[in-house]
Amino acid sequence: MFYRLRTDFRLSIITLLGACAILGVAPFAVFRFMQGEVLAGLADSVIVLCVCISVLHAWLTGRTERSGLFMAVTTSLSAVVITRIVGEPGLLWLFPCLVTSFFLTGPRVATVVNLAAILALAVQTEIFASGVHLWSFIATSLVVSACAYVFAFRNQSQRERLEHLATIDPLTGVANRRSMDQELDRAVANAERSRTPCAIALLDIDHFKRINDEYGHSAGDEVLVDLVALIEQHTRRTDQLFRYGGEEFVLLLPGTEGAGLETVLANLQFLLRKHLKLRDNAITVSFGVAQFQPGESVDSWLERADAALYEAKASGRDRIIFADLGQGQSGTTASPAAYSLT
């Protein structure tokens, strides 16, 4: 529970605002019923109910965007209804909604929600004691919304930048190992659920240390960047490439198996042999490939691919070795197959 609150910003906001709304509005609902203001009490009760539905939906489904939008719309609409019922004092309920809507949904959507709420109240001129009060309300509402928009926009930009820095390899521009762990977990869950094939290929540049020693690390970086560019140009959009560490990469190939997988990797190996060069010297790559087996863990999957890559290196490099898909039990590391595509 606390882990989700720490890692999911919007979920934490929905939960916090939900708690504040329930603790703040529920007593008013009770008070209004005690005072005989049944209609206002019902409106407050509906607000509390909608907030509870939003929080529960966010926790149960993880779809915080939908829950945030629902909460932003219902709380703003409720503020309009309450003001219609109790008069000008109800305007005070709108201002918290104007701010929180930018935390519950995106800046553009929140702007639309806020403008709609302000307009819905502004046209009800009978609520306001005078024209001065009306224009004061419009001006202050727009100022509050503008300030909240600037803060939310900057917060969103900084959060996206931090997420980018945390998941993208700065040299090659592909996803890093942290992102790979998350995507492989998703791939395993999807493969188990839908029974669709999925494979990973570990790629390692042959004699990379020699490249760095003879030509310098800048030349090695150039080879890494060229390798990524070639792979991304000749793989599907659904395939994902990750930098595993140093000169090693992981290529995730969903929906691929058997002869189709062999053909894809053979073509990729051919293209790398032909185009991956450093000062007219050809650079080769070794592959270790493992097809996902139902019931195995991500670690086991990677271990089998790594064992196949080790075999490719030990047997002469510039090879594609497929991990053995024998009858070993789930969770064990199978030995590499004794064949390669060259």
Side-chain angles (χ1 to χ4, degrees):
M1 173 178 166
F2 291 107
Y3 175 78
R4 290 184 66 185
L5 290 175
R6 289 196 305 268
T7 56
D8 192 327
F9 174 77
R10 182 166 285 150
L11 179 62
S12 64
I13 290 296
I14 290 173
T15 304
L16 177 61
L17 294 180
C20 292
I22 293 170
L23 294 175
V25 178
F28 271 92
V30 176
F31 175 77
R32 294 189 195 281
F33 281 123
M34 293 176 62
Q35 294 295 314
E37 301 175 4
V38 177
L39 190 58
L42 288 173
D44 288 337
S45 300
V46 170
I47 295 174
V48 174
L49 177 61
C50 291
V51 167
C52 291
I53 291 174
S54 297
V55 174
L56 287 174
H57 184 270
W59 275 96
L60 294 176
T61 67
R63 297 177 179 177
T64 54
E65 295 84 359
R66 182 180 300 177
S67 298
L69 176 60
F70 179 75
M71 184 181 288
V73 171
T74 53
T75 53
S76 297
L77 179 61
S78 299
V80 173
V81 173
I82 288 294
T83 304
R84 179 66 179 177
I85 295 172
V86 304
E88 193 170 7
L91 293 173
L92 297 175
W93 286 106
L94 180 65
F95 289 99
C97 297
L98 296 177
V99 175
T100 56
S101 61
F102 285 97
F103 293 94
L104 294 170
T105 187
R108 292 183 180 179
V109 176
T111 299
V112 174
V113 172
N114 283 10
L115 290 177
I118 294 170
L119 180 61
L121 289 172
V123 297
Q124 303 179 53
T125 55
E126 68 277 7
I127 297 175
F128 303 91
S130 66
V132 174
H133 286 186
L134 169 62
W135 289 108
S136 296
F137 162 73
I138 293 175
T140 53
S141 299
L142 292 176
V143 169
V144 168
S145 296
C147 293
Y149 175 87
V150 171
F151 179 81
F153 181 79
R154 295 219 15 147
N155 182 67
Q156 183 183 34
S157 299
Q158 291 175 353
R159 189 169 65 252
E160 289 175 352
R161 177 173 174 78
L162 288 174
E163 290 175 354
H164 179 83
L165 292 174
T167 58
I168 301 298
D169 176 57
L171 174 63
T172 61
V174 297
N176 61 15
R177 184 165 182 172
R178 176 180 178 180
S179 181
M180 182 197 75
D181 292 337
Q182 297 172 351
E183 292 300 326
L184 290 185
D185 286 336
R186 292 192 186 99
V188 167
N190 182 65
E192 293 282 13
R193 181 177 60 254
S194 61
R195 297 299 177 183
T196 55
C198 192
I200 53 173
L202 264 66
L203 293 74
D204 187 278
I205 300 175
D206 297 327
H207 304 296
F208 189 72
K209 184 177 183 302
R210 185 186 303 172
I211 294 173
N212 284 330
D213 292 341
E214 293 184 5
Y215 300 100
H217 288 279
S218 59
D221 291 344
E222 181 182 339
V223 171
L224 294 174
V225 172
D226 290 344
L227 172 70
V228 168
L230 286 168
I231 293 175
E232 290 187 331
Q233 289 172 11
H234 297 94
T235 51
R236 304 167 301 175
R237 290 187 177 182
T238 54
D239 301 332
Q240 298 183 71
L241 182 66
F242 309 94
R243 189 175 183 186
Y244 192 47
E247 71 275 19
E248 286 190 346
F249 293 83
V250 172
L251 180 61
L252 177 62
L253 299 156
T256 310
E257 64 178 338
L261 177 62
E262 294 181 9
T263 300
V264 167
L265 294 175
N267 289 338
L268 186 58
Q269 183 189 45
F270 173 78
L271 289 166
L272 293 177
R273 283 173 173 171
K274 183 177 179 180
H275 298 290
L276 188 61
K277 299 180 182 296
L278 177 62
R279 301 177 188 175
D280 295 328
N281 295 316
I283 306 297
T284 60
V285 177
S286 297
F287 296 75
V289 188
Q291 191 84 43
F292 175 73
Q293 298 184 38
E296 77 172 329
S297 65
V298 171
D299 290 339
S300 173
W301 193 15
L302 283 170
E303 286 174 4
R304 291 193 299 109
D306 188 60
L309 177 61
Y310 179 83
E311 178 67 19
K313 289 286 189 180
S315 60
R317 296 183 171 83
D318 190 23
R319 294 174 178 270
I320 302 175
I321 300 292
F322 288 78
D324 181 15
L325 297 180
Q327 300 301 318
Q329 292 184 352
S330 171
T332 61
T333 303
S335 61
Y339 65 93
S340 64
L341 297 175
T342 57

PDB file of all heavy atoms in Angstrom, residues 221-249:
ATOM      1  N   ASP A 221      32.002   4.260 -27.882  1.00  0.00           N
ATOM      2  CA  ASP A 221      30.683   4.871 -27.759  1.00  0.00           C
ATOM      3  C   ASP A 221      30.018   5.002 -29.129  1.00  0.00           C
ATOM      4  O   ASP A 221      28.804   4.799 -29.268  1.00  0.00           O
ATOM      5  CB  ASP A 221      30.787   6.251 -27.102  1.00  0.00           C
ATOM      6  CG  ASP A 221      31.189   6.168 -25.641  1.00  0.00           C
ATOM      7  OD1 ASP A 221      31.097   5.062 -25.061  1.00  0.00           O
ATOM      8  OD2 ASP A 221      31.589   7.201 -25.077  1.00  0.00           O
ATOM      9  N   GLU A 222      30.802   5.335 -30.127  1.00  0.00           N
ATOM     10  CA  GLU A 222      30.273   5.463 -31.486  1.00  0.00           C
ATOM     11  C   GLU A 222      29.722   4.132 -31.991  1.00  0.00           C
ATOM     12  O   GLU A 222      28.662   4.080 -32.640  1.00  0.00           O
ATOM     13  CB  GLU A 222      31.379   5.969 -32.422  1.00  0.00           C
ATOM     14  CG  GLU A 222      30.941   6.161 -33.856  1.00  0.00           C
ATOM     15  CD  GLU A 222      32.093   6.607 -34.745  1.00  0.00           C
ATOM     16  OE1 GLU A 222      33.097   7.144 -34.208  1.00  0.00           O
ATOM     17  OE2 GLU A 222      31.998   6.412 -35.972  1.00  0.00           O
ATOM     18  N   VAL A 223      30.427   3.050 -31.684  1.00  0.00           N
ATOM     19  CA  VAL A 223      29.959   1.729 -32.094  1.00  0.00           C
ATOM     20  C   VAL A 223      28.634   1.397 -31.402  1.00  0.00           C
ATOM     21  O   VAL A 223      27.707   0.860 -32.033  1.00  0.00           O
ATOM     22  CB  VAL A 223      31.022   0.663 -31.767  1.00  0.00           C
ATOM     23  CG1 VAL A 223      30.451  -0.743 -31.982  1.00  0.00           C
ATOM     24  CG2 VAL A 223      32.258   0.865 -32.625  1.00  0.00           C
ATOM     25  N   LEU A 224      28.520   1.719 -30.117  1.00  0.00           N
ATOM     26  CA  LEU A 224      27.280   1.450 -29.384  1.00  0.00           C
ATOM     27  C   LEU A 224      26.106   2.207 -29.991  1.00  0.00           C
ATOM     28  O   LEU A 224      25.017   1.646 -30.164  1.00  0.00           O
ATOM     29  CB  LEU A 224      27.446   1.843 -27.912  1.00  0.00           C
ATOM     30  CG  LEU A 224      28.448   1.021 -27.084  1.00  0.00           C
ATOM     31  CD1 LEU A 224      28.599   1.629 -25.697  1.00  0.00           C
ATOM     32  CD2 LEU A 224      28.008  -0.435 -26.977  1.00  0.00           C
ATOM     33  N   VAL A 225      26.332   3.461 -30.307  1.00  0.00           N
ATOM     34  CA  VAL A 225      25.264   4.282 -30.893  1.00  0.00           C
ATOM     35  C   VAL A 225      24.866   3.745 -32.270  1.00  0.00           C
ATOM     36  O   VAL A 225      23.680   3.655 -32.601  1.00  0.00           O
ATOM     37  CB  VAL A 225      25.708   5.753 -30.989  1.00  0.00           C
ATOM     38  CG1 VAL A 225      24.686   6.579 -31.766  1.00  0.00           C
ATOM     39  CG2 VAL A 225      25.913   6.342 -29.603  1.00  0.00           C
ATOM     40  N   ASP A 226      25.860   3.361 -33.068  1.00  0.00           N
ATOM     41  CA  ASP A 226      25.562   2.812 -34.403  1.00  0.00           C
ATOM     42  C   ASP A 226      24.802   1.491 -34.295  1.00  0.00           C
ATOM     43  O   ASP A 226      23.890   1.217 -35.092  1.00  0.00           O
ATOM     44  CB  ASP A 226      26.862   2.599 -35.183  1.00  0.00           C
ATOM     45  CG  ASP A 226      27.513   3.913 -35.589  1.00  0.00           C
ATOM     46  OD1 ASP A 226      26.824   4.959 -35.540  1.00  0.00           O
ATOM     47  OD2 ASP A 226      28.715   3.898 -35.940  1.00  0.00           O
ATOM     48  N   LEU A 227      25.182   0.663 -33.338  1.00  0.00           N
ATOM     49  CA  LEU A 227      24.496  -0.616 -33.136  1.00  0.00           C
ATOM     50  C   LEU A 227      23.017  -0.395 -32.822  1.00  0.00           C
ATOM     51  O   LEU A 227      22.136  -1.033 -33.416  1.00  0.00           O
ATOM     52  CB  LEU A 227      25.164  -1.387 -32.000  1.00  0.00           C
ATOM     53  CG  LEU A 227      24.436  -2.662 -31.536  1.00  0.00           C
ATOM     54  CD1 LEU A 227      24.519  -3.740 -32.596  1.00  0.00           C
ATOM     55  CD2 LEU A 227      25.012  -3.158 -30.208  1.00  0.00           C
ATOM     56  N   VAL A 228      22.741   0.521 -31.909  1.00  0.00           N
ATOM     57  CA  VAL A 228      21.354   0.812 -31.531  1.00  0.00           C
ATOM     58  C   VAL A 228      20.563   1.329 -32.726  1.00  0.00           C
ATOM     59  O   VAL A 228      19.422   0.915 -32.965  1.00  0.00           O
ATOM     60  CB  VAL A 228      21.331   1.830 -30.373  1.00  0.00           C
ATOM     61  CG1 VAL A 228      19.923   2.369 -30.171  1.00  0.00           C
ATOM     62  CG2 VAL A 228      21.843   1.186 -29.087  1.00  0.00           C
ATOM     63  N   ALA A 229      21.183   2.225 -33.499  1.00  0.00           N
ATOM     64  CA  ALA A 229      20.492   2.782 -34.668  1.00  0.00           C
ATOM     65  C   ALA A 229      20.142   1.696 -35.679  1.00  0.00           C
ATOM     66  O   ALA A 229      19.025   1.667 -36.222  1.00  0.00           O
ATOM     67  CB  ALA A 229      21.356   3.854 -35.314  1.00  0.00           C
ATOM     68  N   LEU A 230      21.057   0.783 -35.928  1.00  0.00           N
ATOM     69  CA  LEU A 230      20.802  -0.295 -36.886  1.00  0.00           C
ATOM     70  C   LEU A 230      19.696  -1.232 -36.401  1.00  0.00           C
ATOM     71  O   LEU A 230      18.819  -1.640 -37.182  1.00  0.00           O
ATOM     72  CB  LEU A 230      22.086  -1.092 -37.128  1.00  0.00           C
ATOM     73  CG  LEU A 230      23.150  -0.405 -37.987  1.00  0.00           C
ATOM     74  CD1 LEU A 230      24.466  -1.172 -37.910  1.00  0.00           C
ATOM     75  CD2 LEU A 230      22.674  -0.317 -39.437  1.00  0.00           C
ATOM     76  N   ILE A 231      19.737  -1.573 -35.118  1.00  0.00           N
ATOM     77  CA  ILE A 231      18.720  -2.483 -34.586  1.00  0.00           C
ATOM     78  C   ILE A 231      17.343  -1.833 -34.626  1.00  0.00           C
ATOM     79  O   ILE A 231      16.354  -2.459 -35.027  1.00  0.00           O
ATOM     80  CB  ILE A 231      19.085  -2.916 -33.153  1.00  0.00           C
ATOM     81  CG1 ILE A 231      20.348  -3.779 -33.167  1.00  0.00           C
ATOM     82  CG2 ILE A 231      17.931  -3.690 -32.508  1.00  0.00           C
ATOM     83  CD1 ILE A 231      20.851  -4.139 -31.788  1.00  0.00           C
ATOM     84  N   GLU A 232      17.244  -0.564 -34.237  1.00  0.00           N
ATOM     85  CA  GLU A 232      15.948   0.110 -34.216  1.00  0.00           C
ATOM     86  C   GLU A 232      15.385   0.299 -35.620  1.00  0.00           C
ATOM     87  O   GLU A 232      14.171   0.306 -35.816  1.00  0.00           O
ATOM     88  CB  GLU A 232      16.075   1.452 -33.503  1.00  0.00           C
ATOM     89  CG  GLU A 232      16.305   1.314 -32.000  1.00  0.00           C
ATOM     90  CD  GLU A 232      16.262   2.634 -31.275  1.00  0.00           C
ATOM     91  OE1 GLU A 232      16.612   3.664 -31.912  1.00  0.00           O
ATOM     92  OE2 GLU A 232      15.898   2.656 -30.089  1.00  0.00           O
ATOM     93  N   GLN A 233      16.273   0.445 -36.613  1.00  0.00           N
ATOM     94  CA  GLN A 233      15.819   0.607 -37.994  1.00  0.00           C
ATOM     95  C   GLN A 233      15.281  -0.690 -38.592  1.00  0.00           C
ATOM     96  O   GLN A 233      14.460  -0.659 -39.512  1.00  0.00           O
ATOM     97  CB  GLN A 233      16.961   1.122 -38.870  1.00  0.00           C
ATOM     98  CG  GLN A 233      17.339   2.568 -38.615  1.00  0.00           C
ATOM     99  CD  GLN A 233      18.598   2.974 -39.357  1.00  0.00           C
ATOM    100  OE1 GLN A 233      19.092   2.253 -40.224  1.00  0.00           O
ATOM    101  NE2 GLN A 233      19.137   4.142 -39.013  1.00  0.00           N
ATOM    102  N   HIS A 234      15.715  -1.824 -38.061  1.00  0.00           N
ATOM    103  CA  HIS A 234      15.375  -3.101 -38.678  1.00  0.00           C
ATOM    104  C   HIS A 234      14.621  -4.037 -37.743  1.00  0.00           C
ATOM    105  O   HIS A 234      14.683  -5.264 -37.891  1.00  0.00           O
ATOM    106  CB  HIS A 234      16.652  -3.781 -39.190  1.00  0.00           C
ATOM    107  CG  HIS A 234      17.353  -3.006 -40.268  1.00  0.00           C
ATOM    108  ND1 HIS A 234      18.370  -2.117 -39.993  1.00  0.00           N
ATOM    109  CD2 HIS A 234      17.161  -2.960 -41.606  1.00  0.00           C
ATOM    110  CE1 HIS A 234      18.807  -1.581 -41.122  1.00  0.00           C
ATOM    111  NE2 HIS A 234      18.087  -2.068 -42.117  1.00  0.00           N
ATOM    112  N   THR A 235      13.927  -3.470 -36.776  1.00  0.00           N
ATOM    113  CA  THR A 235      13.043  -4.254 -35.920  1.00  0.00           C
ATOM    114  C   THR A 235      11.670  -3.591 -35.899  1.00  0.00           C
ATOM    115  O   THR A 235      11.501  -2.452 -36.315  1.00  0.00           O
ATOM    116  CB  THR A 235      13.584  -4.369 -34.476  1.00  0.00           C
ATOM    117  OG1 THR A 235      13.916  -3.051 -33.979  1.00  0.00           O
ATOM    118  CG2 THR A 235      14.821  -5.241 -34.424  1.00  0.00           C
ATOM    119  N   ARG A 236      10.696  -4.331 -35.401  1.00  0.00           N
ATOM    120  CA  ARG A 236       9.323  -3.819 -35.367  1.00  0.00           C
ATOM    121  C   ARG A 236       9.155  -2.804 -34.241  1.00  0.00           C
ATOM    122  O   ARG A 236       9.953  -2.735 -33.307  1.00  0.00           O
ATOM    123  CB  ARG A 236       8.342  -4.972 -35.150  1.00  0.00           C
ATOM    124  CG  ARG A 236       8.429  -6.097 -36.160  1.00  0.00           C
ATOM    125  CD  ARG A 236       7.645  -7.307 -35.663  1.00  0.00           C
ATOM    126  NE  ARG A 236       8.158  -7.786 -34.374  1.00  0.00           N
ATOM    127  CZ  ARG A 236       7.602  -8.758 -33.675  1.00  0.00           C
ATOM    128  NH1 ARG A 236       6.515  -9.365 -34.143  1.00  0.00           N
ATOM    129  NH2 ARG A 236       8.122  -9.145 -32.521  1.00  0.00           N
ATOM    130  N   ARG A 237       8.077  -2.045 -34.338  1.00  0.00           N
ATOM    131  CA  ARG A 237       7.778  -1.090 -33.273  1.00  0.00           C
ATOM    132  C   ARG A 237       7.434  -1.794 -31.966  1.00  0.00           C
ATOM    133  O   ARG A 237       7.642  -1.227 -30.885  1.00  0.00           O
ATOM    134  CB  ARG A 237       6.600  -0.188 -33.691  1.00  0.00           C
ATOM    135  CG  ARG A 237       6.944   0.798 -34.800  1.00  0.00           C
ATOM    136  CD  ARG A 237       5.787   1.761 -35.043  1.00  0.00           C
ATOM    137  NE  ARG A 237       6.126   2.753 -36.060  1.00  0.00           N
ATOM    138  CZ  ARG A 237       5.326   3.732 -36.452  1.00  0.00           C
ATOM    139  NH1 ARG A 237       4.119   3.843 -35.901  1.00  0.00           N
ATOM    140  NH2 ARG A 237       5.703   4.582 -37.382  1.00  0.00           N
ATOM    141  N   THR A 238       6.896  -2.982 -32.069  1.00  0.00           N
ATOM    142  CA  THR A 238       6.547  -3.728 -30.860  1.00  0.00           C
ATOM    143  C   THR A 238       7.767  -4.341 -30.176  1.00  0.00           C
ATOM    144  O   THR A 238       7.693  -4.718 -29.005  1.00  0.00           O
ATOM    145  CB  THR A 238       5.549  -4.850 -31.195  1.00  0.00           C
ATOM    146  OG1 THR A 238       6.091  -5.657 -32.251  1.00  0.00           O
ATOM    147  CG2 THR A 238       4.215  -4.264 -31.650  1.00  0.00           C
ATOM    148  N   ASP A 239       8.893  -4.467 -30.897  1.00  0.00           N
ATOM    149  CA  ASP A 239      10.122  -4.968 -30.292  1.00  0.00           C
ATOM    150  C   ASP A 239      10.753  -3.855 -29.452  1.00  0.00           C
ATOM    151  O   ASP A 239      10.655  -2.681 -29.790  1.00  0.00           O
ATOM    152  CB  ASP A 239      11.100  -5.428 -31.363  1.00  0.00           C
ATOM    153  CG  ASP A 239      10.524  -6.532 -32.238  1.00  0.00           C
ATOM    154  OD1 ASP A 239       9.669  -7.282 -31.744  1.00  0.00           O
ATOM    155  OD2 ASP A 239      10.911  -6.615 -33.417  1.00  0.00           O
ATOM    156  N   GLN A 240      11.409  -4.239 -28.387  1.00  0.00           N
ATOM    157  CA  GLN A 240      12.008  -3.246 -27.494  1.00  0.00           C
ATOM    158  C   GLN A 240      13.470  -3.592 -27.231  1.00  0.00           C
ATOM    159  O   GLN A 240      13.792  -4.746 -26.954  1.00  0.00           O
ATOM    160  CB  GLN A 240      11.254  -3.187 -26.169  1.00  0.00           C
ATOM    161  CG  GLN A 240       9.798  -2.754 -26.305  1.00  0.00           C
ATOM    162  CD  GLN A 240       9.131  -2.637 -24.955  1.00  0.00           C
ATOM    163  OE1 GLN A 240       9.415  -1.733 -24.165  1.00  0.00           O
ATOM    164  NE2 GLN A 240       8.210  -3.539 -24.667  1.00  0.00           N
ATOM    165  N   LEU A 241      14.300  -2.573 -27.295  1.00  0.00           N
ATOM    166  CA  LEU A 241      15.735  -2.740 -27.063  1.00  0.00           C
ATOM    167  C   LEU A 241      16.123  -2.053 -25.764  1.00  0.00           C
ATOM    168  O   LEU A 241      15.714  -0.916 -25.501  1.00  0.00           O
ATOM    169  CB  LEU A 241      16.532  -2.155 -28.231  1.00  0.00           C
ATOM    170  CG  LEU A 241      18.052  -2.302 -28.161  1.00  0.00           C
ATOM    171  CD1 LEU A 241      18.459  -3.775 -28.253  1.00  0.00           C
ATOM    172  CD2 LEU A 241      18.722  -1.508 -29.292  1.00  0.00           C
ATOM    173  N   PHE A 242      16.937  -2.732 -24.960  1.00  0.00           N
ATOM    174  CA  PHE A 242      17.389  -2.191 -23.680  1.00  0.00           C
ATOM    175  C   PHE A 242      18.906  -2.333 -23.583  1.00  0.00           C
ATOM    176  O   PHE A 242      19.473  -3.317 -24.061  1.00  0.00           O
ATOM    177  CB  PHE A 242      16.757  -2.946 -22.508  1.00  0.00           C
ATOM    178  CG  PHE A 242      15.269  -3.079 -22.589  1.00  0.00           C
ATOM    179  CD1 PHE A 242      14.689  -4.213 -23.160  1.00  0.00           C
ATOM    180  CD2 PHE A 242      14.431  -2.095 -22.104  1.00  0.00           C
ATOM    181  CE1 PHE A 242      13.322  -4.354 -23.236  1.00  0.00           C
ATOM    182  CE2 PHE A 242      13.051  -2.222 -22.175  1.00  0.00           C
ATOM    183  CZ  PHE A 242      12.494  -3.352 -22.754  1.00  0.00           C
ATOM    184  N   ARG A 243      19.533  -1.354 -22.939  1.00  0.00           N
ATOM    185  CA  ARG A 243      20.964  -1.500 -22.652  1.00  0.00           C
ATOM    186  C   ARG A 243      21.091  -2.227 -21.325  1.00  0.00           C
ATOM    187  O   ARG A 243      20.694  -1.724 -20.278  1.00  0.00           O
ATOM    188  CB  ARG A 243      21.663  -0.141 -22.600  1.00  0.00           C
ATOM    189  CG  ARG A 243      23.181  -0.301 -22.511  1.00  0.00           C
ATOM    190  CD  ARG A 243      23.910   1.016 -22.583  1.00  0.00           C
ATOM    191  NE  ARG A 243      25.362   0.810 -22.561  1.00  0.00           N
ATOM    192  CZ  ARG A 243      26.245   1.789 -22.497  1.00  0.00           C
ATOM    193  NH1 ARG A 243      25.840   3.053 -22.490  1.00  0.00           N
ATOM    194  NH2 ARG A 243      27.539   1.513 -22.472  1.00  0.00           N
ATOM    195  N   TYR A 244      21.660  -3.417 -21.389  1.00  0.00           N
ATOM    196  CA  TYR A 244      21.756  -4.282 -20.224  1.00  0.00           C
ATOM    197  C   TYR A 244      22.952  -3.915 -19.359  1.00  0.00           C
ATOM    198  O   TYR A 244      22.948  -4.120 -18.154  1.00  0.00           O
ATOM    199  CB  TYR A 244      21.852  -5.728 -20.713  1.00  0.00           C
ATOM    200  CG  TYR A 244      21.675  -6.788 -19.654  1.00  0.00           C
ATOM    201  CD1 TYR A 244      20.633  -6.724 -18.741  1.00  0.00           C
ATOM    202  CD2 TYR A 244      22.544  -7.880 -19.585  1.00  0.00           C
ATOM    203  CE1 TYR A 244      20.454  -7.707 -17.789  1.00  0.00           C
ATOM    204  CE2 TYR A 244      22.375  -8.864 -18.640  1.00  0.00           C
ATOM    205  CZ  TYR A 244      21.334  -8.777 -17.743  1.00  0.00           C
ATOM    206  OH  TYR A 244      21.162  -9.749 -16.796  1.00  0.00           O
ATOM    207  N   GLY A 245      23.982  -3.386 -19.999  1.00  0.00           N
ATOM    208  CA  GLY A 245      25.185  -2.992 -19.279  1.00  0.00           C
ATOM    209  C   GLY A 245      26.395  -3.064 -20.180  1.00  0.00           C
ATOM    210  O   GLY A 245      26.574  -4.051 -20.903  1.00  0.00           O
ATOM    211  N   GLY A 246      27.250  -2.022 -20.174  1.00  0.00           N
ATOM    212  CA  GLY A 246      28.445  -2.036 -21.010  1.00  0.00           C
ATOM    213  C   GLY A 246      28.086  -2.176 -22.475  1.00  0.00           C
ATOM    214  O   GLY A 246      27.355  -1.359 -23.046  1.00  0.00           O
ATOM    215  N   GLU A 247      28.599  -3.234 -23.103  1.00  0.00           N
ATOM    216  CA  GLU A 247      28.322  -3.476 -24.522  1.00  0.00           C
ATOM    217  C   GLU A 247      27.227  -4.519 -24.725  1.00  0.00           C
ATOM    218  O   GLU A 247      27.031  -5.002 -25.847  1.00  0.00           O
ATOM    219  CB  GLU A 247      29.605  -3.934 -25.229  1.00  0.00           C
ATOM    220  CG  GLU A 247      30.088  -5.329 -24.877  1.00  0.00           C
ATOM    221  CD  GLU A 247      30.953  -5.380 -23.627  1.00  0.00           C
ATOM    222  OE1 GLU A 247      30.900  -4.429 -22.824  1.00  0.00           O
ATOM    223  OE2 GLU A 247      31.683  -6.367 -23.453  1.00  0.00           O
ATOM    224  N   GLU A 248      26.500  -4.861 -23.675  1.00  0.00           N
ATOM    225  CA  GLU A 248      25.431  -5.853 -23.772  1.00  0.00           C
ATOM    226  C   GLU A 248      24.071  -5.181 -23.878  1.00  0.00           C
ATOM    227  O   GLU A 248      23.790  -4.192 -23.185  1.00  0.00           O
ATOM    228  CB  GLU A 248      25.440  -6.784 -22.557  1.00  0.00           C
ATOM    229  CG  GLU A 248      26.569  -7.792 -22.564  1.00  0.00           C
ATOM    230  CD  GLU A 248      26.413  -8.836 -21.482  1.00  0.00           C
ATOM    231  OE1 GLU A 248      25.581  -8.635 -20.572  1.00  0.00           O
ATOM    232  OE2 GLU A 248      27.113  -9.858 -21.550  1.00  0.00           O
ATOM    233  N   PHE A 249      23.223  -5.751 -24.744  1.00  0.00           N
ATOM    234  CA  PHE A 249      21.868  -5.248 -24.931  1.00  0.00           C
ATOM    235  C   PHE A 249      20.894  -6.418 -24.872  1.00  0.00           C
ATOM    236  O   PHE A 249      21.263  -7.561 -25.144  1.00  0.00           O
ATOM    237  CB  PHE A 249      21.732  -4.539 -26.280  1.00  0.00           C
ATOM    238  CG  PHE A 249      22.536  -3.260 -26.381  1.00  0.00           C
ATOM    239  CD1 PHE A 249      23.881  -3.299 -26.717  1.00  0.00           C
ATOM    240  CD2 PHE A 249      21.938  -2.028 -26.133  1.00  0.00           C
ATOM    241  CE1 PHE A 249      24.624  -2.138 -26.805  1.00  0.00           C
ATOM    242  CE2 PHE A 249      22.677  -0.864 -26.218  1.00  0.00           C
ATOM    243  CZ  PHE A 249      24.019  -0.910 -26.557  1.00  0.00           C
TER     244      PHE A 249
END
